[in-house]
Amino acid sequence: MKLEMICTGEEVLSGQIVDTNAAWFANLMMEHGIEVQRRVTVGDRMEDLIAVFRERSMHADVILVNGGLGPTSDDLSAEAMARAKEEPLVENPIWRQRITDWFARNNRPMPANNLKQALLPASAIMVDNPVGTACGFRVKLNRAWLFFTPGVPFELKHMVQEQFLPFIRDEFAIQSDIAVEKLLTIGHGESSLAAKLEPLSLPDGITLGYRSSMPHIEIKIFARGAAAIAQLAAVTAEVKQALGTAVVAENRQSLAEEIHQRLYQSGLSLSVAESCTGGMITSQLVAFPGSSSYLHQGLVTYSNESKVRVLGVKPQTLDDYGAVSIPVVEEMVRGARELLGSDFALATSGIAGPDGGTAEKPVGTVAIALATRNAVYSQMILLAGRSRELVRSISSAVAYDMLRRELLNEAVIVDYSFIQRYPK
Amino acid sequence: MKLEMICTGEEVLSGQIVDTNAAWFANLMMEHGIEVQRRVTVGDRMEDLIAVFRERSMHADVILVNGGLGPTSDDLSAEAMARAKEEPLVENPIWRQRITDWFARNNRPMPANNLKQALLPASAIMVDNPVGTACGFRVKLNRAWLFFTPGVPFELKHMVQEQFLPFIRDEFAIQSDIAVEKLLTIGHGESSLAAKLEPLSLPDGITLGYRSSMPHIEIKIFARGAAAIAQLAAVTAEVKQALGTAVVAENRQSLAEEIHQRLYQSGLSLSVAESCTGGMITSQLVAFPGSSSYLHQGLVTYSNESKVRVLGVKPQTLDDYGAVSIPVVEEMVRGARELLGSDFALATSGIAGPDGGTAEKPVGTVAIALATRNAVYSQMILLAGRSRELVRSISSAVAYDMLRRELLNEAVIVDYSFIQRYPK
């Protein structure tokens, strides 16, 4: 089966938005053992859309088309497909009802142009979209099935997983004897991870892939075929062994998700006091439903006055050591934990940049602490040459990792190859 | 001039990395008034590369090819181009010397395979790369100039700005008479905005585009040609008039950026108390360098105890009205402002879902308040049928907008078409 993707939309073509849908889709297909062979990105011009549908339908067996199903005048995918196949647009009565119901259910008046979303090419087979008003559909042209999906990432993901994958499995008898294990790492570069894994001799059918989404690098272990799949667990254990403390989670999207799952199941509570990470730790945890069961509070004490008033940091400590220091971050973490008697607290204080650095404490200097009921652990790290965003996200990851290791009864503070620690 | 782009590389096609080069390039071209008309992404297979070079060279005048100029075995662009044109690869003596010098200057031994980077198609014209060992070049095939650039973003950017732009300007006598204005809106769907703008009669050369990046929808007003550009300011004013309170910023990426800029320049200070938004407001502001100058603190008082202990909310108020209520959010916002005597405070308390709703206060109910030195403003809204993420991001946007309107001395609370307000 030859799979291609067509991405539509002026804003994608013109770089107003980076096409994360395309990367997500190709990535998912690869995890199912299917390669996307070509991706074509075009804007919202009728003749370009018609041309690309006709042209690629001669070469591919399946084409995922993304975008252009909205209600506005620059949403042209359905009409372009109808013209490419030289057939009329026809209103789909089921979808008309769905749109009408959707607006009624949400107590919103339906703008007339939303009905456009029920117009499909005459030969189209409707594809359900349970989470939006854009109707998916598929059309056969020349050798290809063109499968139309909405540009909204959330809707695309639903439709691909619930409709597209089963469709290509049935239609092309794809065998999905592929399995994948994902290890999340922090604090080590791709080449340093690769160097550690090079000595391993992998069984036939097992391959490694790397994906960087800072502050994480994800290592994917693919097993193709029954024999390889049977060895996947053993190989995964070997890889974990070789990588040591770099591995922070298995089959998770992020370290925040790992922490959420562990705390959610534990009955233990957490308070967070953030300075340079500025709410990133708290906000990432709050993103998970159920986080209110363990997260007492997240105090972004950005100013010194706030550290004093809210967390009880001593003005003298701030004067003596400065806000970015081990003594201050330890007072912050104690204060945050004691306010509500939480089981744990995390605190950060650092210089995220681009300004504010000094010779003694350059940009990227961050103090991080963990408080438990019995102890306080702290470290000061230097993330030199990193952007403001990366200083914040790597610091958050290190803080999470301290808590994660404490929850596992492991040494709280470990070395990461690309993170320097003070004092050396 | 018809401009296209070909992106090569397995890791881009398969979604291991998101193609930021493509977005950067298209964006830059648009700022110079040139549209990229199609983008094709292919992997590192020789036959795919040859096919795409031949095929697109029949349609485009200029094709920027990105990637595949490195020294390793999967870098195939030069060889594929030579085969597409049926000519040999020839070593370029100038570039061979450049590579040799580069390694000597950096005190590194030169791996033999680096010399591969001096092999160009026989008819190629060398294009200088002042910042790397990959040699750029251009080749004419059929109607197109194919312009080959390295995949390393830093090297690509140098080559495009210093070589590609002057080349197309000379070759195609490009005039860059295009301008764009961007209006950021919140609280209204794309179709409702479109309905308001449909009655406007736009002058020739002016077009509208919509881009949804929730909680915002951005409206772009493009003007092409001197006559249209002269009318852009007047058209923008007309569009703003038609959209009324929906427009919250001009030429900004986000409402958070608008708030950051206004506060940063004002000398006024802000404290934030968040419950359901969970650090999102604080975290978005902290993302901007310089936010420490006005952001005193962001208190994510997720638990009732934290609202009482940190913000001074009365337990009786919590008992009488519940955490998600006007009286509680008003006590939160007063407490947050008074802690450090900030000029302003924002507070949110709501049910982000998917659980926790009741018949009286369903998921999506959010109380939002703004405190100034003289007054407290509050409202309770219902964001029905929205995801947890959207409840949080729309609530954050409404909070920002209350502060923005206060800073402009406008009515703090306004209606948004898709946001219901309590009590009706």
Side-chain angles (χ1 to χ4, degrees):
Chain A
M1 182 200 61
K2 209 170 159 194
L3 171 65
E4 299 194 356
M5 181 173 191
I6 296 176
C7 302
T8 75
E10 219 49 52
E11 68 287 0
V12 175
L13 181 64
S14 69
Q16 298 308 292
I17 57 173
V18 171
D19 193 353
T20 52
N21 279 354
W24 174 85
F25 175 69
N27 220 336
L28 181 79
M29 288 301 105
M30 212 180 60
E31 286 172 14
H32 286 83
I34 306 161
E35 277 175 293
V36 177
Q37 291 207 258
R38 187 188 277 213
R39 180 164 73 231
V40 181
T41 309
V42 288
D44 298 320
R45 271 176 299 258
M46 184 62 78
E47 62 276 26
D48 288 359
L49 288 164
I50 296 171
V52 77
F53 293 161
R54 285 187 177 153
E55 174 200 312
R56 300 321 304 163
S57 69
M58 317 275 249
H59 298 91
D61 300 305
V62 182
I63 303 171
L64 189 95
V65 184
N66 189 234
L69 302 185
T72 63
S73 59
D74 55 1
D75 289 304
L76 301 174
S77 292
E79 189 180 343
M81 185 65 236
R83 290 212 209 168
K85 206 175 167 181
E86 296 175 343
E87 63 185 27
L89 282 172
V90 176
E91 188 176 81
N92 183 303
I94 302 173
W95 202 258
R96 188 197 163 101
Q97 193 57 47
R98 284 282 292 273
I99 301 176
T100 316
D101 291 351
W102 191 91
F103 277 95
R105 208 169 51 242
N106 289 285
N107 272 320
R108 289 161 56 179
M110 182 175 68
N113 50 5
N114 267 88
L115 284 182
K116 178 184 159 193
Q117 295 184 294
L119 294 175
L120 306 185
S123 68
I125 296 165
M126 192 188 111
V127 173
D128 194 20
N129 174 1
V131 291
T133 60
C135 183
F137 60 91
R138 61 186 160 91
V139 174
K140 181 92 189 225
L141 179 64
N142 299 316
R143 67 180 265 196
W145 274 109
L146 291 102
F147 198 105
F148 289 79
T149 57
V152 179
F154 173 68
E155 299 181 23
L156 167 72
K157 289 174 187 180
H158 265 272
M159 207 177 280
V160 166
Q161 272 159 332
E162 288 158 28
Q163 313 269 352
F164 180 76
L165 274 173
F167 166 69
I168 57 169
R169 269 204 208 101
D170 288 358
E171 189 75 17
F172 300 95
I174 302 289
Q175 46 159 328
S176 10
D177 59 344
I178 181 164
V180 59
E181 278 285 328
K182 302 175 196 174
L183 301 177
L184 209 60
T185 71
I186 65 164
H188 299 257
E190 190 170 320
S191 46
S192 131
L193 296 169
K196 286 185 187 188
L197 296 182
E198 215 137 285
L200 300 186
S201 66
L202 300 174
D204 278 355
I206 292 204
T207 54
L208 300 181
Y210 298 83
R211 189 172 70 93
S212 171
S213 67
M214 293 306 283
H216 313 107
I217 291 180
E218 187 182 70
I219 296 173
K220 283 192 261 206
I221 311 167
F222 295 98
R224 287 184 176 81
I229 291 172
Q231 290 176 281
L232 182 57
V235 172
T236 303
E238 233 184 308
V239 169
K240 283 179 68 177
Q241 177 73 28
L243 296 179
T245 56
V247 176
V248 296
E250 273 181 70
N251 298 315
R252 300 276 194 220
Q253 294 293 311
S254 66
L255 191 44
E257 186 191 345
E258 174 74 11
I259 293 296
H260 169 77
Q261 292 297 347
R262 289 194 180 276
L263 286 178
Y264 190 57
Q265 289 156 11
S266 70
L268 298 164
S269 58
L270 174 68
S271 284
V272 181
E274 304 184 61
S275 189
C276 69
T277 52
M280 190 180 265
I281 294 176
T282 308
S283 190
Q284 287 176 353
L285 294 176
V286 171
F288 298 103
S291 47
S292 57
S293 69
Y294 61 82
L295 185 62
H296 277 160
Q297 57 191 356
L299 309 171
V300 183
T301 51
Y302 216 41
S303 63
N304 282 352
E305 299 69 37
S306 178
K307 292 181 180 74
V308 172
R309 284 292 305 271
V310 177
L311 298 174
V313 171
K314 295 191 199 82
Q316 190 64 44
T317 316
L318 283 161
D319 282 354
D320 289 350
Y321 302 96
V324 179
S325 65
I326 292 283
V328 166
V329 83
E330 290 193 347
E331 290 189 13
M332 286 172 68
V333 86
R334 269 199 200 92
R337 197 194 70 72
E338 286 168 8
L339 259 170
L340 301 180
S342 312
D343 294 296
F344 300 107
L346 288 171
T348 62
S349 182
I351 302 153
D355 305 315
T358 63
E360 201 201 340
K361 290 177 187 169
V363 167
T365 303
V366 184
I368 307 175
L370 163 74
T372 70
R373 291 196 176 277
N374 310 310
V376 167
Y377 304 89
S378 62
Q379 60 181 319
M380 194 141 87
I381 60 176
L382 174 59
L383 302 162
R386 312 270 168 174
S387 69
R388 181 176 178 86
E389 176 70 14
L390 269 181
V391 169
R392 296 174 65 212
S393 65
I394 297 173
S395 301
S396 298
V398 170
Y400 285 135
D401 201 34
M402 289 171 74
L403 175 55
R404 184 189 69 86
R405 298 183 60 83
E406 168 69 20
L407 288 167
L408 292 170
N409 281 316
E410 293 178 3
V412 166
I413 294 175
V414 293
D415 289 322
Y416 308 95
S417 76
F418 73 50
I419 302 176
Q420 249 180 286
R421 182 137 23 95
Y422 290 110
K424 279 167 284 196
Chain B
M1 183 200 62
K2 210 171 157 193
L3 172 65
E4 298 194 356
M5 182 175 190
I6 296 176
C7 302
T8 74
E10 220 47 52
E11 69 287 359
V12 175
L13 182 64
S14 70
Q16 299 306 292
I17 56 172
V18 171
D19 193 353
T20 51
N21 279 355
W24 174 84
F25 175 69
N27 223 335
L28 182 79
M29 288 301 106
M30 211 181 61
E31 286 169 17
H32 286 83
I34 307 160
E35 279 175 291
V36 178
Q37 291 208 259
R38 187 187 277 213
R39 179 164 73 231
V40 181
T41 309
V42 288
D44 298 320
R45 271 176 298 257
M46 184 62 80
E47 61 276 26
D48 287 359
L49 288 165
I50 296 171
V52 77
F53 292 161
R54 284 185 176 154
E55 175 200 312
R56 299 321 304 164
S57 70
M58 317 275 248
H59 298 91
D61 301 304
V62 182
I63 303 171
L64 190 94
V65 184
N66 189 233
L69 301 185
T72 62
S73 60
D74 56 2
D75 289 305
L76 301 175
S77 292
E79 189 179 344
M81 184 65 237
R83 290 213 209 168
K85 207 175 164 179
E86 295 176 342
E87 63 186 26
L89 282 172
V90 176
E91 188 176 81
N92 183 305
I94 302 172
W95 201 258
R96 186 196 165 102
Q97 192 57 48
R98 284 282 292 274
I99 301 176
T100 315
D101 292 351
W102 191 92
F103 278 96
R105 208 170 51 242
N106 290 284
N107 272 320
R108 287 164 54 182
M110 182 174 68
N113 51 4
N114 268 89
L115 284 183
K116 177 184 159 194
Q117 295 185 293
L119 294 175
L120 307 185
S123 68
I125 296 165
M126 192 188 111
V127 172
D128 193 20
N129 175 1
V131 291
T133 62
C135 183
F137 59 90
R138 60 188 159 90
V139 174
K140 182 90 190 225
L141 179 64
N142 299 317
R143 67 179 267 193
W145 274 108
L146 291 102
F147 198 106
F148 288 79
T149 58
V152 179
F154 174 67
E155 298 180 25
L156 166 72
K157 288 175 188 178
H158 265 273
M159 205 176 280
V160 166
Q161 272 159 333
E162 289 158 28
Q163 314 270 350
F164 180 76
L165 273 174
F167 166 69
I168 57 169
R169 270 205 207 98
D170 288 357
E171 189 76 18
F172 300 95
I174 301 292
Q175 42 163 324
S176 356
D177 55 347
I178 184 166
V180 60
E181 277 287 326
K182 302 175 195 171
L183 301 177
L184 209 60
T185 71
I186 65 163
H188 300 259
E190 193 172 318
S191 44
S192 129
L193 295 170
K196 286 185 188 188
L197 296 182
E198 217 136 284
L200 299 187
S201 66
L202 300 174
D204 278 355
I206 292 205
T207 54
L208 299 181
Y210 298 82
R211 186 173 72 95
S212 171
S213 67
M214 290 307 283
H216 313 107
I217 292 181
E218 185 183 72
I219 296 172
K220 280 191 271 206
I221 311 167
F222 293 99
R224 287 182 177 81
I229 290 172
Q231 291 176 280
L232 181 57
V235 172
T236 303
E238 231 184 311
V239 169
K240 283 177 69 176
Q241 177 74 28
L243 296 179
T245 56
V247 176
V248 296
E250 273 181 70
N251 298 314
R252 300 277 193 220
Q253 295 292 310
S254 67
L255 191 44
E257 187 192 345
E258 175 74 11
I259 293 296
H260 168 77
Q261 292 297 347
R262 288 193 179 275
L263 287 179
Y264 189 57
Q265 290 157 9
S266 70
L268 297 164
S269 59
L270 174 68
S271 284
V272 181
E274 304 184 61
S275 190
C276 69
T277 52
M280 188 180 267
I281 294 176
T282 309
S283 191
Q284 287 177 352
L285 294 177
V286 171
F288 297 102
S291 47
S292 56
S293 70
Y294 60 82
L295 185 63
H296 277 159
Q297 56 192 356
L299 308 171
V300 183
T301 52
Y302 216 42
S303 63
N304 282 351
E305 299 70 36
S306 178
K307 292 180 180 74
V308 172
R309 285 294 303 271
V310 176
L311 299 174
V313 172
K314 295 190 200 81
Q316 190 65 45
T317 316
L318 283 161
D319 282 354
D320 288 351
Y321 302 96
V324 179
S325 65
I326 293 282
V328 165
V329 82
E330 291 194 347
E331 290 189 12
M332 287 172 68
V333 84
R334 269 198 200 94
R337 198 194 69 72
E338 287 169 7
L339 260 169
L340 300 181
S342 312
D343 293 296
F344 300 106
L346 289 171
T348 62
S349 182
I351 302 152
D355 305 315
T358 63
E360 199 200 342
K361 291 177 187 168
V363 166
T365 303
V366 184
I368 307 176
L370 163 73
T372 70
R373 291 196 176 277
N374 309 310
V376 167
Y377 304 89
S378 62
Q379 60 182 318
M380 194 140 88
I381 60 175
L382 174 60
L383 301 163
R386 311 275 166 171
S387 68
R388 181 176 179 86
E389 176 70 12
L390 268 182
V391 169
R392 296 174 66 212
S393 64
I394 297 173
S395 302
S396 298
V398 170
Y400 285 135
D401 201 34
M402 291 171 73
L403 175 55
R404 184 189 70 87
R405 298 182 60 83
E406 168 68 20
L407 288 167
L408 293 170
N409 281 314
E410 293 178 3
V412 166
I413 295 176
V414 293
D415 289 323
Y416 308 95
S417 77
F418 72 52
I419 301 176
Q420 251 180 281
R421 182 138 22 93
Y422 288 110
K424 278 169 282 195

